[in-house]
């Protein structure tokens, strides 16, 4: 109000502390620094550009449309894709060694991209460092946080360090220290639920300088109650990940048992993993947790603390959407800051109101997809259904789209994907009934159905209100 | 194996640390000390026998069959009941001041007992202190715990103190510090969910040396979305508790608004609370949380930590079962220790396997009962249903029993109560249908039904297996 008429309002420089310099923390820092905000990034681990990557965390991930869209907005998509390997489909490995390939998209060309988590993290860290106004603080482990004052305490190799920031963004993953601080406040709802499964990584090295299997696929060994997957790496190795019930992991206690189990259930992979028993014994067991919480932001008198990425909504990895979803969070927060004129209180509230339902949706889909990956993909009925689905997609382009396509190859909000799936199910069921009714009596119904079918489905017409309107 | 034949095996003295000297912590300590175990009780607050009771926590509670059964086992029931006021029913206060009394039990004689939390806690603390081998450590706030080694760290007025115990029992309530330490371990599931309601306490003082209302009832002002209750105290005052949506609590920001709101919605209570506006402004807003978690026990190499009472399963107060359920935990743990020969690892596992389903059940019933108390009890249909229920109970003694009766006046496990309710619903529905079918055609069905009805229902016949057997 004090600005002279006509002069652009000068925004006060905003200070933001981002806790966690993993994928989401770095990307969030990029977005915020590009807005001119002064970002300090705190990370409990040493600088991965100096130290090696931590062992035991998933060393590669599948980047798809949402993640790439976010990277594009900060100009990093092309650089990142150069180090990625496209996987246009799944390769199923039966116990007898039979392979079957299943494209992910109807046109067979769209691909998800295998990328090294460490390489992607380094690229993002370089990008943060290069932006003006950013500061990186490694080996800083958050031990206390008061969202009322913005006071933080960190354990560092040089002892305890304090800092204050009016805006604190927790991007510190599934085991978030920021969330642990917020969780003790009355009114903070939290649901953390572990799967009864653990995971363990193994390596299929390159053979004679080349990939030991087709690098153009995400490989799956579906075994009903358990499974193994493998993603290609740029060094022509594959990283395998076993997803096994904890009981099964515990039972295979000796190298002999491990080798025998693989020889029986994963014979083709067994032949490709020379250090199987040693790898198995050495690599730690990872855990699979789903975390839902609310609110994502706690506002105090002089400060506020918000959550983003896995810290706000940790999900299991079975839809390949963890990082993609976290990157999409960054895009949405950036959008909300634009809409609110860089007012963090308003932006964080808006961001939560839009993202929470989407995060809850992908959390559920990721759990559901575990059953699909470890069990259903092995059945002929599933393969036939996928082929039928793709045929429908090609016959009705833009009208019928599979869930996988919308989740992995679009940026349609996850919750909207599910609304669309429900609609498609109703239509498909109605079409089946209509067809069954026979020609004469069904002509009227089919005509009406066809008129509805022909109406293009765009995001703008997806709200319940517009559906009601469509029934007039 | 080394004991000479015929000599009784000498049990090694067991050391147990109980964290939290509230109701459940004290009672658990009593049970364990009576087994000859060396119990150290840690409490973050000062000794309530020296300091006054903390303001803002519910100052009275309703003790019923389960709690009394537990106290009886340690010889404290009679002493405790002397300081309690029996409440054989609910007194509903309509907005126009009309009163209606509803007995809790079919015979109108069974009562729940209003008791001061502070007085009960003091009685239990005295009981712990009097038992050999017990040690009490006040002003000890748990700050770290390693269930692997049994190492604990406490913040005290004299600085940090450490202790080690092979068995650690967290009885430290809904905001359990023990649970917070266990929660960060992989595989620990946690659900904490707050109601959108807060509570606030007010006082109706004695009038002319006597109770201002009937002391033989739990008073309820049901107001649809919100409510107030009042329980009598031995000093002839009543403690009122408002359960209001947080929004409503926030909206009444001035003494004038508070007074006007009460004059409109609680006119009879308004006349009995002289310091209404001051009380309202002074007393803090309490929060209502439900916590479910699993596992309740984390076993390490050299130690284990388990949870009991609200620390394991915090529930909302609307069934009056929080303390009763926690006391029942103590009975079950004691029983499991007997069955396992004081092997804590086995006993804690057995205790969890038996209690978890019951704790989950009462958590759900307590949430459901909030709707009943604040809304349904105000309707004529509800009163008529209660009268019909009590008539059925009197007509079919032991066959038809209301849920409230089984929860409050029996020690039938909560989950069994629900199984019985489901069965009663089916029978009642079947009886209604049978009656509607008319005399002739229904004779056979009614006969069969009657034969089932006549079969007495005992806990032993409540398992799904025995139900199947009954159908042969």
């Amino acid at each position: 109000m004090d600005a002279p008429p006509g002069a652009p309002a000068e925004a006060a420089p905003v200070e933001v502390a981002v806790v966690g310099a993993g994928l989401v923390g770095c990307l969030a820092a990029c977005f915020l620094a590009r807005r001119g905000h002064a970002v300090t990034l705190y990370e409990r681990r040493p600088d991965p550009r100096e130290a090696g990557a931590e062992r035991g965390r998933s060393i590669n991930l599948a980047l798809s449309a949402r993640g790439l869209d976010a990277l594009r907005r900060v100009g990093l998509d092309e650089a990142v894709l150069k180090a990625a390997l496209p996987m246009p489909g799944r390769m199923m490995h039966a116990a007898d060694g039979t392979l079957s390939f299943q494209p992910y998209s109807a046109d067979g060309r769209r691909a998800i991209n295998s990328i090294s988590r460490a390489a992607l993290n380094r690229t993002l860290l370089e990008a943060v460092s290069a932006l003006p106004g950013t500061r990186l603080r490694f080996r800083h482990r958050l031990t206390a946080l008061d969202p009322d004052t913005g006071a933080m305490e960190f354990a560092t190799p040089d002892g305890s360090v304090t800092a204050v920031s009016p805006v604190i963004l927790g991007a510190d993953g599934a085991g978030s220290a920021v969330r642990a601080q917020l969780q003790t406040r009355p009114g903070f709802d939290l649901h953390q639920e572990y799967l009864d499964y653990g995971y363990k990584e193994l390596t299929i090295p390159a053979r004679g300088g080349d990939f030991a299997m087709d690098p153009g696929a995400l490989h799956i060994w579906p075994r009903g109650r358990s499974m193994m997957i493998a993603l290609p790496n740029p060094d022509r190795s594959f990283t395998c990940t076993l997803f096994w019930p904890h009981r099964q992991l515990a039972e295979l206690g000796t190298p002999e048992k491990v080798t025998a189990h693989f020889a029986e259930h994963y014979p083709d992979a067994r032949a490709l993993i020379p250090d199987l028993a040693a790898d198995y014994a050495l690599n730690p067991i990872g855990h699979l947790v789903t975390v839902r919480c609310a609110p994502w932001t706690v506002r105090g008198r002089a400060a506020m603390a918000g959550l983003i990425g896995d810290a706000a909504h940790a999900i299991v990895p079975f839809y390949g959407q963890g990082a993609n979803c976290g990157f999409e969070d960054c895009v949405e927060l950036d959008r909300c800051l634009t809409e609110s004129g860089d007012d963090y209180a308003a932006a964080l509230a808006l961001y939560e109101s839009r993202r929470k339902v989407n995060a809850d949706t992908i959390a559920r889909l990721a759990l559901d997809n575990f059953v699909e990956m470890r069990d259903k993909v092995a059945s002929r009925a599933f393969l036939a259904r996928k082929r039928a689905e793709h045929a429908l997609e090609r016959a009705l382009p833009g009208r019928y789209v599979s869930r996988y396509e919308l989740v992995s190859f679009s940026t349609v909000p996850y919750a909207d994907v599910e609304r669309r799936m429900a609609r498609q199910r109703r239509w498909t069921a109605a079409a089946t009934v209509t067809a069954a009714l026979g020609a004469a009596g069904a002509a009227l119904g089919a005509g009406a159905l066809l008129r509805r079918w022909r109406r293009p489905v765009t995001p703008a017409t997806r709200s319940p209100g517009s559906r009601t309107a469509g029934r007039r």
Side-chain angles (χ1 to χ4, degrees), chain A residues 4-19:
Chain A
E10 185 74 26
V14 185
E15 273 183 48
V16 186
V18 176
V19 180

Side-chain angles (χ1 to χ4, degrees), chain A residues 12 45 50 68 129 196 272 301 313 322 342 385 389 460 466:
Chain A
R45 299 187 185 84
E50 294 161 15
L68 288 169
S129 309
D196 219 10
L272 301 175
R301 281 163 304 176
H313 48 71
D342 288 306
R385 185 162 69 74
E389 214 173 44
S466 66

Side-chain angles (χ1 to χ4, degrees), chain A residues 230-266:
Chain A
L231 277 74
N233 299 315
D235 68 359
R236 309 202 165 189
S237 67
F238 282 85
T239 303
C240 306
T241 311
L242 291 167
F243 295 98
W244 281 3
H246 279 296
R247 180 190 301 252
Q248 189 175 341
L249 285 164
E251 276 168 5
L252 296 187
T254 64
E256 294 72 30
K257 282 187 186 171
V258 172
T259 311
H261 186 89
F262 269 77
E264 184 180 348
H265 298 287
Y266 308 88

Side-chain angles (χ1 to χ4, degrees), chain A residues 87-103:
Chain A
M87 303 180 290
R90 295 164 166 161
M91 185 74 83
M92 263 78 65
H93 295 240
D96 66 2
T98 310
L99 298 179
S100 36
F101 181 81
Q102 204 181 79

Side-chain angles (χ1 to χ4, degrees), chain A residues 107-179:
Chain A
D107 67 8
R109 286 198 304 269
R110 301 189 191 186
I112 59 176
N113 304 280
S114 176
I115 178 116
S116 148
R117 179 184 291 272
L120 180 55
N121 210 150
R122 273 194 297 272
T123 304
L124 286 164
L125 269 177
E126 294 294 353
V128 175
S129 309
L131 284 164
T134 57
R135 295 184 299 177
L136 276 72
R137 299 281 178 272
F138 290 98
R139 299 177 193 269
H140 275 59
R141 182 171 61 83
L142 185 85
T143 53
L145 182 164
D146 182 354
D148 227 31
T149 60
M152 295 171 284
E153 215 175 282
F154 296 94
T156 80
D158 306 321
S160 178
V161 166
T162 60
V164 178
S165 175
V167 179
I168 298 160
L169 207 54
D172 48 349
S176 172
V178 173
R179 192 183 65 234

Side-chain angles (χ1 to χ4, degrees), chain A residues 16-32 39 41-42 70 167-179 182 188 291 293 295-298 305-315 321-337 344 347-348 351-352 355-356 359:
Chain A
V16 186
V18 176
V19 180
L23 300 182
V24 172
C26 286
L27 185 63
C30 283
F31 273 104
L32 304 182
V39 179
L41 192 51
Y42 297 94
V167 179
I168 298 160
L169 207 54
D172 48 349
S176 172
V178 173
R179 192 183 65 234
L182 303 184
F188 193 90
V291 177
C293 66
W296 286 354
T297 301
V298 172
L307 300 170
I308 193 164
D310 281 359
H313 48 71
I315 65 178
Q321 287 292 310
N324 289 290
C325 176
F327 281 9
E328 212 174 35
D329 282 357
C330 300
V331 173
E332 188 62 59
L333 177 58
D334 188 56
R335 187 179 292 134
C336 294
L337 283 164
Y344 269 89
L348 284 166
Y351 145 84
E352 178 172 348
R355 284 301 286 168
K356 172 77 174 138

Side-chain angles (χ1 to χ4, degrees), chain A residues 413-467:
Chain A
Y414 297 119
D416 290 349
V417 171
E418 281 310 278
R419 278 192 277 276
R420 180 157 177 171
M421 287 304 112
R423 239 179 7 253
Q424 281 185 184
R425 265 196 307 276
R426 284 197 301 274
W427 291 351
T428 316
T432 310
V433 169
T434 307
L437 282 174
L444 188 70
L449 196 77
L450 206 62
R451 279 194 295 282
R452 286 199 61 178
W453 193 274
R454 277 193 186 137
R455 190 163 56 83
V457 180
T458 65
T461 67
R462 270 187 206 113
S463 72
S466 66
R467 257 188 290 147

